[in-house]
Amino acid sequence: MKLWGGRFEAGPAELFERYSGSLQFDKRLFEADVSGSKAFANALAQVGILTEDERSAIHEAFDAMLSESGSPGYFDADDEDIHTFVIRKLGESVGSLAEKIHTGRSRNEQVATDFRLWVKSAIRDTQRQLESLMGSLLALAEREPDALLPGYTHLRRAQAVLFAHYLLAYFEMFWRDWQRLQQAYERTDVSPLGSGALAGSGFPFDRHAMAADLGFASVSRNSLDVVADRDFALDFLYAASVTMLHASRLAEDWILYSTEEFGFLEMGDEVTSGSSLMPQKRNPDALELLRGKTGRACGNLQSLMMTLKGLPLAYNRDLQEDKECVFETADQVSESIGILALCVDTARLRPEAMERAAEDGWVSATALAEILARAGVSFHRAHQIVGGIVLSSVKHGKRPRDWTLDELREFAPELDERAMTALAPRQALGNHAVVGGTAPGAVGAARQAAKERLESLAEVSRSGAD
Ligand code: ARG
């Protein structure tokens, strides 16, 4: 079925029908389209186009459609798009009354409304996934509050940090992602309904009532803008892409940390795979796939930006290309975050291996130089002196703990017993007691605060209309 045709003498080519049809993917807007149509029926009754009986007959038919829609093959149809499909189904139920439902309505405002409703619920879903991931990170930090990691810069051992501090770094990233999604949610939460094709509806609809019916926080201010605006979809794709970028960084860390070479942690059987040839293999496929899917999410953002570039106002059919990239990203991000939480929940840390790597490396070199600086040596000289100690260690195959105080004092007579404690990475942790630092007290406080912050997120994501 089509919602147009009177002006045409011949039908469209079959190839074009297939080319332009969108039902096979926009069927995912079904529930949103039905909700939007119910709200629109209410508005039509208010302006006297539908009687109360007609309005409730239409509502009943829509409710029946919602309960049938789970049946297999329900969407096997050749309608042009989901809006046409819904009206045809309505017609099958209420007869010619269905012809009134599109009075003063355009698919341009309809698809904008449906898509916003869909994106709002996808955002809430992603936020809830992020909350459980953040909960998993905190739970691991709580299980292993003392594990010590050689922190890296340039992938070279740099300074010791608590593994809990490292986990909280990812907590912060996912926290920002949640906030970005929230901002996207607020910009999506605007109702286009009543904007018509581009000029605003020709009927005096109460747009605020329609918005309230659909759980939108406000109504759009300009009809031309809102039928052509897909910024909300871009916002979602951007927030989702950044979320995936963060997830892929954690994935990359753990792919490395779980190698035989690092041996800092072991991934659970739940998220690893074997090799068809090499019996010994236990590969981190879940995290590799996540890293790979991140590319697709970023590609989807690019894809929609390119679709929107240079589009003249207002609606153009190009905009139909907005959906698949958003649907795909929503699926990918939601599954990826779920997988990542499972990886975190099932990982087994090897704190002894981490600590050995920290102790064998020179992660305390900075602490030693700072001891000298506190004793009045200029930091430049202190840096030179400790550099000399490290060079000598490398030449003589010595680890930090192999040095005696007397040997160290040959490099710098200012050094006393405090130098020996500074050489133990765990001791050096306590120096970093600034806000946001890795001293155990600071990390404990940050962990507690993070827990409370996480609870406050759930209050938002579990409220509201979706
Ligand atoms: N399937 C279309 C889309 O996704 C619906 C709007 C069609 N409007 C139109 N004037 N052709 O954008």
Side-chain angles (χ1 to χ4, degrees), residues 295-315:
R296 286 171 64 178
C298 296
N300 286 336
L301 170 62
Q302 291 299 319
S303 162
L304 185 57
M305 288 204 290
M306 290 307 102
T307 300
L308 296 175
K309 177 188 170 294
L311 273 193
L313 273 189
Y315 179 86

Side-chain angles (χ1 to χ4, degrees), residues 240-241 244-245 247-248 285-300 328-329 331-337 339:
S241 298
M244 289 296 285
L245 291 180
S248 79
D285 291 30
L287 294 177
E288 291 169 310
L289 282 165
L290 189 156
R291 204 172 47 184
K293 287 170 193 285
T294 301
R296 286 171 64 178
C298 296
N300 286 336
E328 198 211 3
T329 286
D331 293 342
Q332 299 287 8
V333 73
S334 166
E335 280 186 10
S336 299
I337 297 306
I339 281 284

Side-chain angles (χ1 to χ4, degrees), residues 4 20-23 25-26 29 80-84 106-112 115 197 227 230 315-323:
W4 46 270
S20 63
S22 55
L23 184 61
F25 55 86
D26 67 14
L29 299 178
E80 185 182 318
D81 56 24
I82 190 62
H83 323 295
T84 315
S106 158
R107 279 182 296 166
N108 299 351
E109 62 180 322
Q110 199 179 350
V111 74
F115 202 26
V227 292
R230 294 295 181 272
Y315 179 86
N316 300 270
R317 192 66 179 273
D318 316 40
L319 288 172
Q320 181 168 297
E321 299 298 314
D322 61 358
K323 289 171 206 65

Side-chain angles (χ1 to χ4, degrees), residues 114-351:
D114 294 0
F115 202 26
R116 280 176 183 266
L117 287 173
W118 196 92
V119 168
K120 276 176 64 177
S121 117
I123 289 175
R124 284 292 186 240
D125 175 59
T126 315
Q127 285 179 313
R128 287 190 281 260
Q129 295 277 1
L130 276 173
E131 287 160 32
S132 27
L133 173 59
M134 286 187 266
S136 295
L137 291 169
L138 287 184
L140 181 54
E142 243 160 67
R143 279 201 300 283
E144 301 278 359
D146 303 321
L148 182 106
L149 178 79
Y152 293 87
T153 63
H154 312 270
L155 210 51
R156 281 8 178 210
R157 290 174 208 171
Q159 286 183 301
V161 293
L162 282 178
F163 193 72
H165 192 57
Y166 162 87
L167 291 171
L168 284 168
Y170 280 102
F171 180 95
E172 294 302 333
M173 292 177 231
F174 295 125
W175 167 271
R176 289 196 296 276
D177 294 333
W178 192 101
Q179 301 295 345
R180 248 184 295 277
L181 285 163
Q182 184 60 22
Q183 287 155 3
Y185 186 93
E186 283 160 21
R187 276 193 286 270
T188 309
D189 202 8
V190 178
S191 173
L193 216 51
S195 297
L198 75 164
S201 180
F203 293 79
F205 295 128
D206 178 350
R207 293 194 58 215
H208 293 281
M210 286 196 280
D213 240 4
L214 290 169
F216 281 112
S218 63
V219 303
S220 57
R221 283 189 280 260
N222 184 294
S223 59
L224 271 178
D225 170 45
V226 79
V227 292
D229 169 27
R230 294 295 181 272
D231 293 1
F232 64 95
L234 283 181
D235 287 345
F236 170 64
L237 288 176
Y238 174 67
S241 298
V242 180
T243 304
M244 289 296 285
L245 291 180
H246 291 149
S248 79
R249 294 183 75 169
L250 180 54
E252 174 63 9
D253 276 352
W254 285 28
I255 289 168
L256 282 173
Y257 290 176
S258 61
T259 55
E260 285 97 334
E261 285 71 14
F262 277 79
F264 291 175
L265 55 87
E266 216 177 286
M267 307 292 302
D269 283 353
E270 294 87 340
V271 289
T272 45
S273 328
S275 151
S276 60
L277 177 67
M278 299 166 282
Q280 84 282 14
K281 291 300 284 296
R282 203 153 160 281
N283 296 325
D285 291 30
L287 294 177
E288 291 169 310
L289 282 165
L290 189 156
R291 204 172 47 184
K293 287 170 193 285
T294 301
R296 286 171 64 178
C298 296
N300 286 336
L301 170 62
Q302 291 299 319
S303 162
L304 185 57
M305 288 204 290
M306 290 307 102
T307 300
L308 296 175
K309 177 188 170 294
L311 273 193
L313 273 189
Y315 179 86
N316 300 270
R317 192 66 179 273
D318 316 40
L319 288 172
Q320 181 168 297
E321 299 298 314
D322 61 358
K323 289 171 206 65
E324 286 159 293
C325 47
V326 168
F327 292 155
E328 198 211 3
T329 286
D331 293 342
Q332 299 287 8
V333 73
S334 166
E335 280 186 10
S336 299
I337 297 306
I339 281 284
L340 195 53
L342 186 59
C343 290
V344 174
D345 292 340
T346 55
R348 280 180 303 273
L349 293 197
R350 298 272 172 262

